[in-house]
Amino acid sequence: MLSPTPLSVLCAVLLCFPLAVIITITSPTTTVPGGNPVPDLVPPPKTHQRFSSKPLFLPLHDDDSLLRVASRVDSKLPPGSPKKVAFLFLTISPLPFAPLWELFFNQTPQNLFNVYVHADPSYTYDPPFSGVFAHRVIPSKPALRFTPTLASAARRLLAHALLHDRSNYMFALFSASCIPIHSFNFTYETLTRSKKSFIEVLENEVGDFDRWAARGQDAMLPVVKLEDFRIGSQFWSLTRKHARLVVGDEMVWAKFNQPCVVWDTCYPEENYFPTLVHMRDPRGVVPVTLTHVDWNGSFDGHPRMYVESEVTPELILRLRKDEPRYGDDGSNGSDSRVTRRRRFPFLFARKFSPESIQPLLKIASHVIFKD
């Protein structure tokens, strides 16, 4: 065996030097005082989760991950934290009643509410969202009538609200044509004192079979039987428990998330939510919507729209006095009479034309926000 020459030793050192540098740089160790290496494989200590003042934005295209993560949030509010109401706005237009909502939220402590907006990206929002709505738009997708996309948008809003703030207790959904008809304090007390969700749950309605079969004669089976199918208002107020139920549901949603073959009886946003809570927790709801709507003179599936000349103090007072319609609370009649004796008032109303904002602002302080 030949002895190594000085030249061969030098070449070997030069060849091995780059490899040694790479190994040193990529080695999974951390230096601590005293010089003892600690492997990075040791899990870091657990820390308390922090919640920022802005929504947590997960990848726009990945709703499955968004919903899955949201369904795992803590079901309990932070100790000592006041209950918050999450106001969820689902819109395809600028918010014509933003000035009225600004007055509604005026001088309200920020620790009592949050605002979230799902704005269809295929529309132009001019003027842009400002004031209490500024920077409150979550990553959104197109939402079209007669498709599951409106219900998807509502689920997306719930997921972001759950992830954003652990103090969100009640989650209320609105359209661009909704207005408040009571003060914030009255609204807040009504919602946060309830341990149940407010969602209309109607059975044996005219056309329920056509709606159930809109995706095909047996498309909903075996998960959703006709006798489990329910109809209700698109606009509800859900507790944290039911918000987690909605974003965590996969089985029932898979049935409602199918395209309809009969499009004019396809209203997933009015069927999915009442059907789900009826199937999973019927006794956990007050089966009523707190958003007033007038279906007299409805056209093409749209309720009556109040125009500028109709907006008077008398209209607001009449909307407040109307009796909500109670549906199925899963009690077989045993507890429903108790629920009805405690009359829950309408807190919101729709539909109002954009031009009615001025007369609404004129009566806001001495009528709408005076309880």
Side-chain angles (χ1 to χ4, degrees):
M1 182 174 179
L2 298 176
S3 300
T5 65
L7 180 60
S8 64
V9 172
L10 178 61
C11 291
V13 170
L14 292 176
L15 288 172
C16 293
F17 180 75
L19 180 61
V21 171
I22 293 173
I23 293 175
T24 302
I25 293 174
T26 60
S27 178
T29 60
T30 302
T31 302
V32 296
N36 295 323
V38 178
D40 283 346
L41 298 178
V42 176
K46 292 183 179 180
T47 58
H48 294 291
Q49 185 176 4
R50 295 183 178 180
F51 293 87
S52 67
S53 60
K54 294 185 178 181
L56 173 63
F57 294 152
L58 294 186
L60 175 60
H61 63 279
D62 192 3
D63 275 355
D64 289 341
S65 295
L66 171 70
L67 297 169
R68 191 179 307 113
V69 174
S71 69
R72 296 172 182 168
V73 298
D74 198 330
S75 60
K76 298 180 180 179
L77 302 183
S81 174
K83 297 177 180 177
K84 289 186 180 182
V85 177
F87 291 81
L88 316 176
F89 290 84
L90 201 170
T91 183
I92 59 173
S93 70
L95 298 174
F97 302 109
L100 184 65
W101 285 103
E102 290 281 358
L103 293 177
F104 175 77
F105 292 117
N106 188 33
Q107 298 182 346
T108 300
Q110 182 62 45
N111 66 343
L112 297 183
F113 74 96
N114 281 305
V115 172
Y116 308 89
V117 180
H118 187 287
D120 189 325
S122 61
Y123 286 78
T124 301
Y125 297 90
D126 187 20
F129 301 103
S130 60
V132 73
F133 299 98
H135 312 298
R136 306 314 300 162
V137 179
I138 69 167
S140 308
K141 295 182 180 181
L144 304 174
R145 199 177 178 209
F146 306 121
T147 73
T149 55
L150 285 171
S152 292
R155 298 178 87 222
R156 206 171 289 123
L157 279 164
L158 287 172
H160 279 281
L162 282 167
L163 287 167
H164 169 233
D165 197 331
R166 270 184 62 193
S167 296
N168 283 333
Y169 171 76
M170 191 71 81
F171 303 74
L173 183 66
F174 306 96
S175 74
S177 66
C178 289
I179 68 164
I181 58 174
H182 281 282
S183 68
F184 178 90
N185 289 340
F186 185 94
T187 301
Y188 178 84
E189 291 297 325
T190 301
L191 293 176
T192 58
R193 284 181 178 177
S194 176
K195 295 181 179 179
K196 297 185 176 184
S197 296
F198 296 95
I199 178 171
E200 196 171 47
V201 184
L202 306 176
E203 63 175 330
N204 299 324
E205 290 290 285
V206 175
D208 58 355
F209 175 81
D210 292 334
R211 290 189 178 209
W212 177 78
R215 296 153 193 83
Q217 189 74 17
D218 299 321
M220 303 296 283
L221 296 175
V223 178
V224 182
K225 301 179 178 64
L226 178 59
E227 56 265 31
D228 292 326
F229 190 78
R230 294 294 184 269
I231 294 176
S233 169
Q234 178 185 356
F235 302 100
W236 32 251
S237 298
L238 300 183
T239 60
R240 186 173 184 83
K241 173 184 177 181
H242 287 149
R244 292 175 70 244
L245 170 67
V246 168
V247 300
D249 169 54
E250 296 180 3
M251 186 177 297
V252 176
W253 174 244
K255 292 298 182 180
F256 282 93
N257 196 29
Q258 301 178 73
C260 291
V261 294
V262 184
W263 63 268
D264 58 349
T265 58
C266 186
Y267 299 97
E269 68 280 3
E270 296 179 1
N271 301 135
Y272 167 66
F273 300 100
T275 299
L276 177 65
V277 296
H278 165 73
M279 293 178 64
R280 298 289 187 259
D281 187 25
R283 288 178 155 241
V285 305
V286 179
V288 67
T289 177
L290 299 184
T291 298
H292 187 287
V293 65
D294 186 354
W295 287 104
N296 294 320
S298 62
F299 174 75
D300 193 27
H302 293 287
R304 173 184 174 180
M305 177 178 286
Y306 301 102
V307 297
E308 182 178 4
S309 60
E310 295 178 278
V311 177
T312 62
E314 291 73 24
L315 172 63
I316 302 300
L317 297 177
R318 178 171 63 81
L319 297 180
R320 286 181 179 179
K321 291 180 180 179
D322 274 2
E323 183 76 25
R325 178 188 179 187
Y326 288 85
D328 176 22
D329 61 0
S331 63
N332 296 320
S334 59
D335 297 329
S336 59
R337 290 189 298 274
V338 176
T339 299
R340 286 165 174 76
R341 278 200 296 268
R342 184 185 174 190
R343 178 182 178 272
F344 289 96
F346 284 115
L347 301 178
F348 316 102
R350 60 185 291 265
K351 280 179 103 170
F352 284 79
S353 66
E355 294 75 24
S356 59
I357 179 60
Q358 290 305 321
L360 285 169
L361 291 175
K362 290 179 181 178
I363 63 174
S365 60
H366 63 283
V367 178
I368 298 177
F369 302 140
K370 186 176 181 181
D371 302 308

